[in-house]
Amino acid sequence: MRLSRYFLPVLKEAPADAQIVSHQLMLRAGMIKQNGAGIYSWLPLGMRVLHKIEKIVREEQERAGAVELLMPTIQPAELWKESGRYDAYGKEMLRILDRHEREMLYGPTNEEMITDIFRTYVRSYKQLPINLYHIQWKFRDEVRPRFGVMRGREFLMKDAYSFDNTVEAAKQSYYRMFCAYLNTFSRIGLKAVPMRADTGPIGGDLSHEFIVLADTGESAVFCDSALVDMPAPGKDLNFWQDLLPEVEKRTKLYAATEEMHDAARFESEVPAERRLSARGIEVGHIFYFGTKYSAPMKAEVTGQDGKNAPVEMGSYGIGVSRLVGAIIEASHDDKGVIWPAAVAPFEVAVVSLRSDDADVTKVCESAYEQLLNAGVDVLYDDTGERPGAKFSTMELIGVPELIVVGPKGVKAGVVEFRNREAGSSEEMTLEAAIKRCLASKGA
Ligand code: 5CA
């Protein structure tokens, strides 16, 4: 992408009402634009990050056996009346009347709709297990939308739904997703702590939240320190089975300390020694709720014994748009965002220090072309801005690696290779710089 043709409306200063660093940086880096309370447009740079997160989420869902579909944002109220949640959900649900005065709603979640899809097509235990997911916008009329995309009213969620024949099989599906979540957050470059949680309006009696530690988080983190010691980002967790004994060990520990469950609910009652004095951001939440929806909605399957019984279900959410804010909270400095490589909107930038110099331009064009051809997400700053302003923008938007091309270097046959996170700068040939970029991409 040539910066001269890109849409990157960076701001010198963040609007005064942006209270936390991720919100400030997302506005300043031209990633989002607020359109209403808790409602945002995703500008090109923000959308790139969103797509990169989605891609990782998809890959890990598919690896865990979940199958993608797409349900609508607008749902008929009838389904929610069947489950009993239409009245129970309260004011967070955005209710709409269509031109025929039919009651509709903008989906805050999709348990009812997926249960309806399931019951239309599946009859026998032989067709199970099934796990279906989608990545779709949700709307919750939050009392206090705040912190930018962290607590929006419209937000992007990955929600998966598992269907099993027995309680044991359903728990297996639950822990399979548990492991998929550890993989997902690790690949994104985050350390997310699983914590036993309250189930709220989704229901059920087994639930975990995945929390990214950050001072600005809205969730208080209470858990055994053993649980905090989860695999470090980047560690290859590979296949979920490898991890299952470990997860079981850890979850037994939960089971052993029932107060942990209460701790998640009643912040004030947690004894000081059990607190991590930490706060965190909930980036994922998984639930096992058995037949809470399948029983009232009559989503039944014929079992091995020939009898019909409601299917065992769980649901599994990831806050895809919230993750963008959470990553920035966890990874930034006073100059801007430091993206983990896997989700950086651009992996490399070629920065021309003199766009009016033909030799400099020739080297830049060659670097840009080679990187594009190698499949690297490259931003080419071909504008006539001052070098200082160019570097500030690159640091603000968090491009991990820069190839800087200036007249002196070109004469000497070198470019400057900069690394955002390390703050390092080295001179080398263009060929060597490109090799370095490809190496960090794993190509
Ligand atoms: N149906 C279940 C699981 S699919 C569900 O809706 N779970 S949830 O309510 O916990 O939401 C899943 C995830 O969406 C949360 O962990 C959080 O990361 C994200 N999320 C929830 N509310 C918001 C919001 N207002 N703004 C941004 N992200 C949100």
Side-chain angles (χ1 to χ4, degrees):
M1 184 59 61
R2 287 171 195 274
L3 187 55
S4 60
R5 309 223 184 112
Y6 199 49
F7 186 72
L8 184 67
V10 295
L11 305 177
K12 283 236 156 32
E13 285 180 25
D17 57 344
Q19 298 164 32
I20 60 169
V21 74
S22 59
H23 190 193
Q24 292 163 358
L25 288 175
M26 287 181 78
L27 291 168
R28 284 193 53 213
M31 294 178 66
I32 50 168
K33 151 101 177 72
Q34 185 170 352
N35 304 112
I39 299 176
Y40 292 87
S41 288
W42 286 78
L43 302 181
L45 194 78
M47 205 190 66
R48 275 181 171 260
V49 180
L50 210 52
H51 282 172
K52 292 214 167 169
I53 295 172
E54 276 184 45
K55 183 166 183 285
I56 294 174
V57 168
R58 272 200 179 90
E59 283 170 8
E60 292 302 324
Q61 288 296 293
E62 305 272 331
R63 200 142 74 114
V67 180
E68 187 170 13
L69 47 62
L70 184 61
M71 291 176 270
T73 53
I74 306 291
Q75 306 184 19
E78 277 75 36
L79 289 176
W80 290 68
K81 289 184 179 166
E82 275 191 61
S83 73
R85 273 209 297 185
Y86 190 61
D87 293 327
Y89 214 92
K91 288 193 164 174
E92 260 189 30
M93 181 189 278
L94 181 65
R95 295 156 207 259
I96 306 162
L97 281 185
D98 74 8
R99 68 201 296 160
H100 305 292
E101 304 276 307
R102 280 185 294 241
E103 289 173 301
M104 315 289 284
L105 57 101
Y106 192 128
T109 177
N110 283 66
E111 278 80 5
E112 284 77 0
M113 187 164 276
I114 200 78
T115 305
D116 181 49
I117 291 173
F118 178 88
R119 73 181 172 185
T120 307
Y121 302 107
V122 185
R123 293 278 171 270
S124 161
Y125 77 95
K126 289 182 192 155
Q127 292 161 276
L128 303 181
I130 293 174
N131 189 323
L132 298 169
Y133 78 99
H134 72 161
I135 299 179
Q136 178 61 291
W137 294 92
K138 308 289 188 294
F139 194 95
R140 294 183 187 173
D141 202 352
E142 301 275 356
V143 191
R144 273 217 298 163
R146 59 183 186 152
F147 298 159
V149 300
M150 293 272 231
R151 181 166 296 282
R153 290 201 296 166
E154 191 186 42
F155 59 97
L156 189 61
M157 193 206 287
K158 183 285 298 180
D159 36 328
Y161 302 88
S162 64
F163 300 88
D164 284 280
N165 190 28
T166 63
V167 175
E168 297 73 54
K171 293 206 169 163
Q172 190 82 6
S173 294
Y174 180 91
Y175 287 117
R176 182 184 278 248
M177 273 293 141
F178 188 113
C179 295
Y181 276 37
L182 295 178
N183 275 339
T184 304
F185 298 127
S186 164
R187 277 188 62 192
I188 286 173
L190 285 174
K191 190 160 180 162
V193 181
M195 184 175 86
R196 185 76 186 247
D198 198 2
T199 55
I202 309 295
D205 55 12
L206 173 61
S207 172
H208 285 89
E209 290 173 1
F210 291 76
I211 309 280
V212 171
L213 299 183
D215 291 341
T216 45
E218 293 187 273
S219 307
V221 179
F222 321 96
C223 53
D224 250 286
S225 52
L227 285 160
V228 181
D229 186 24
M230 293 310 291
K235 185 164 178 238
D236 185 14
L237 299 172
N238 260 323
F239 199 47
W240 68 276
Q241 279 106 332
D242 295 350
L243 204 71
L244 208 53
E246 184 65 8
V247 169
E248 275 171 355
K249 204 171 79 199
R250 287 167 192 273
T251 46
K252 269 200 195 96
L253 194 152
Y254 278 134
T257 55
E258 195 41 47
E259 83 229 53
M260 295 301 304
H261 188 69
D262 297 339
R265 281 194 226 165
F266 308 113
E267 187 169 338
S268 56
E269 293 172 19
V270 184
E273 66 275 13
R274 296 196 77 83
R275 296 183 187 199
L276 298 173
S277 73
R279 298 197 74 79
I281 302 159
E282 180 204 315
V283 289
H285 200 158
I286 60 175
F287 303 82
Y288 162 68
F289 44 71
T291 59
K292 179 175 154 73
Y293 301 90
S294 55
M297 293 183 69
K298 301 208 170 30
E300 297 181 347
V301 283
T302 313
Q304 234 162 337
D305 56 6
K307 290 189 185 136
N308 282 354
V311 69
E312 288 285 330
M313 289 176 64
S315 74
Y316 314 90
I318 290 182
V320 175
S321 49
R322 175 178 287 185
L323 267 170
V324 181
I327 293 165
I328 298 175
E329 287 298 323
S331 186
H332 64 270
D333 63 12
D334 55 356
K335 294 175 183 145
V337 186
I338 301 175
W339 292 112
V343 295
F346 290 101
E347 295 161 300
V348 184
V350 175
V351 179
S352 166
L353 295 183
R354 285 282 300 274
S355 58
D356 55 349
D357 179 314
D359 294 334
V360 169
T361 302
K362 207 168 140 198
V363 174
C364 287
E365 292 284 345
S366 162
Y368 180 52
E369 182 97 4
Q370 290 183 57
L371 290 165
L372 273 185
N373 289 343
V376 176
D377 284 327
V378 53
L379 180 65
Y380 169 22
D381 186 346
D382 56 345
T383 66
E385 254 313 333
R386 285 179 303 108
K390 290 192 174 197
F391 292 131
S392 301
T393 300
M394 293 302 164
E395 282 165 343
L396 173 64
I397 70 172
V399 183
E401 287 169 340
L402 303 187
I403 294 178
V404 183
V405 186
K408 267 195 218 143
V410 167
K411 280 205 182 76
V414 292
V415 297
E416 186 193 346
F417 183 78
R418 291 194 185 191
N419 183 286
R420 171 76 174 90
E421 192 173 5
S424 59
S425 158
E426 289 171 70
E427 286 197 338
M428 58 185 76
T429 61
L430 177 60
E431 197 187 11
I434 287 175
K435 262 207 190 120
R436 285 279 282 274
C437 297
L438 297 185
S440 38
K441 192 182 156 61

